[in-house]
Amino acid sequence: MATHPHGTLFSPYTLGALELKNRIVMAPMTRSRALVDGNVPNPLAITYYTQRASAGLLITEATQVSPQGVGYIRTPGIHSPEQVEGWKKVTEAVHAVGGRIYAQLWHVGRMSHPDFHDGALPVAPSAVGVDVDVFTYKGKTRTVTPRALELGELPGIVEQFRAGARNALAAGFDGVELHGSNGYLLDQFLRDSSNRRTDAYGGSIENRARLPLEVARAVAEVWGAPRVGYRLSPQNFPYGGMSDSTPVETFTYMARELNALGLGYLHVTEAVSGKSFPSAEQRITPKLRAAFRGTLIANGGYDAASGEAAIARGEADLVSYGVPFIANPDLPERYREQAPLASADFATFYGGEAQGYTDYPARR
């Protein structure tokens, strides 16, 4: 591919103190294969991430910072010693083959069910439910209306993320990404469809952004801001019941404030429905790029050509890929050689063991 002043997908890139071998990022993807006992990372995850370590950066599947943050079966946590030990084996294996890996820190908020919490209600900024199915160990069931967090509980949410950040440091990660997208707790606070609070954490954009920014500040205190990323989804799946009355203003404000904190990167994912993605002209990402002067990772329906084009335009520094990485552990090499891509089997995306997880072959 032609060279360009902004680089190409295959150019090295300096992310803070980290040297990345290319601009291709493996996006965080829930695969629901943690061990049932304790939500400890499955030993198979060592193989899974190592197979994909030719990416410039790997971002782990969403990883809950506390038992309160659980909303799905077999998702790994980073709040117990056993979980930290499980992740340590993953990071050591990835580093041994020259890879870089960040942990994505997560709290699902209302996207949960009492089955995960000994009968207690899930928590959220407001008692506003979302009508979707969730899978618990008892099977598929409908969500319930969550409990609004009390004002005095919010410092505890910040501390959950701070503790998760400390544990990620102990587990040997290269950095952390805050999951502020896709309808989970931090996203629920930011958007006015889910945040109906009337105190200092609701109402105005500044108030709705307060808790997410307090979390970002706390995690930056643990890691140093350059090693912390934040994921936003200004246009995303209708899943999660998320919307905002002024998305450009809301997300531009958030990007500007994250920039002021000196965070290492902003990871922007855009999808307007479960299967369609906005055109280059429809994307909000360029507006966020103008507000955030650090590294920007673009996500949402990119292939090699459109990812290259986003970098060439200066719209993004890095591009993250999700589903293509599931079936193509050697995705950077395939993109470089313009080789055919294998297709992923949706039936094995979630749950199970090796099938559809670690058994997709590299080309050679």
Side-chain angles (χ1 to χ4, degrees):
M1 294 181 182
T3 59
H4 192 278
H6 293 292
T8 75
L9 272 179
F10 310 104
S11 305
Y13 185 79
T14 302
L15 177 64
L18 294 178
E19 292 297 324
L20 308 184
K21 53 198 163 193
N22 56 54
R23 313 287 190 99
I24 298 171
V25 176
M26 185 173 105
M29 291 179 286
T30 292
R31 303 302 310 277
S32 298
R33 283 170 167 84
L35 301 181
V36 174
D37 185 12
N39 284 333
V40 174
N42 194 316
L44 283 170
I46 300 168
T47 302
Y48 173 73
Y49 285 108
T50 305
Q51 287 173 333
R52 290 154 180 81
S54 62
L57 177 65
L58 303 171
I59 305 173
T60 71
E61 62 215 273
T63 301
Q64 56 260 2
V65 293
S66 70
Q68 186 191 63
V70 178
Y72 299 84
I73 59 174
R74 298 189 66 183
T75 53
I78 195 157
H79 53 83
S80 76
E82 295 78 13
Q83 291 164 351
V84 172
E85 286 304 308
W87 280 121
K88 194 177 294 185
K89 293 170 184 167
V90 173
T91 62
E92 287 172 352
V94 167
H95 291 151
V97 295
R100 299 291 193 183
I101 184 167
Y102 273 41
Q104 191 190 57
L105 303 181
W106 187 38
H107 189 307
V108 303
R110 70 184 185 181
M111 295 295 292
S112 188
H113 191 274
D115 285 356
F116 291 112
H117 308 293
D118 296 322
L121 289 172
V123 299
S126 304
V128 178
V130 56
D131 191 26
V132 297
D133 286 329
V134 291
F135 287 87
T136 77
Y137 288 106
K138 297 177 183 177
K140 186 165 79 170
T141 185
R142 214 68 177 162
T143 50
V144 300
T145 301
R147 173 180 69 81
L149 285 158
E150 300 286 342
L151 187 63
E153 292 179 283
L154 299 187
I157 297 293
V158 176
E159 289 310 307
Q160 289 177 29
F161 279 94
R162 190 195 304 271
R166 288 195 183 114
N167 285 339
L169 195 60
F173 284 100
D174 295 299
V176 292
E177 175 178 291
L178 292 169
H179 197 343
S181 64
N182 292 28
Y184 299 115
L185 185 66
L186 300 181
D187 198 24
Q188 290 162 26
F189 267 89
L190 183 61
R191 302 206 219 192
D192 58 14
S193 64
S194 47
N195 185 341
R196 311 280 177 82
R197 300 179 74 93
T198 56
D199 58 17
Y201 290 84
S204 67
I205 293 172
E206 293 79 4
N207 282 358
R208 298 198 313 269
R210 191 181 307 277
L211 182 76
L213 291 171
E214 287 178 354
V215 167
R217 196 173 295 113
V219 171
E221 288 170 1
V222 174
W223 273 93
R227 292 290 182 101
V228 180
Y230 198 102
R231 196 174 207 226
L232 291 171
S233 54
Q235 302 184 81
N236 73 331
F237 306 98
Y239 177 75
M242 300 302 294
S243 64
D244 191 80
S245 59
T246 58
V248 173
E249 292 82 354
T250 296
F251 287 94
T252 300
Y253 175 82
M254 190 67 185
R256 199 162 53 239
E257 292 300 307
L258 293 171
N259 182 70
L261 290 178
L263 260 57
Y265 71 73
L266 187 65
H267 188 178
V268 185
T269 179
E270 294 201 70
V272 293
S273 74
K275 294 184 179 177
S276 64
F277 299 92
S279 67
E281 294 73 29
Q282 294 170 320
R283 290 185 187 272
I284 295 176
T285 300
K287 294 181 175 67
L288 303 188
R289 174 68 180 211
F292 187 84
R293 304 314 303 164
T295 295
L296 191 137
I297 305 175
N299 172 268
Y302 289 93
D303 58 16
S306 58
E308 185 88 351
I311 291 172
R313 288 192 301 267
E315 184 179 307
D317 301 296
L318 309 171
V319 180
S320 73
Y321 298 88
V323 172
F325 257 117
I326 290 178
N328 301 275
D330 55 345
L331 186 67
E333 180 185 343
R334 294 195 194 213
Y335 276 168
R336 186 190 297 273
E337 297 182 1
Q338 299 181 28
L341 298 186
S343 296
D345 175 17
F346 182 79
T348 57
F349 274 19
Y350 307 107
E353 298 301 326
Q355 184 182 359
Y357 189 55
T358 56
D359 61 351
Y360 288 108
R363 291 176 61 237
R364 59 174 180 264

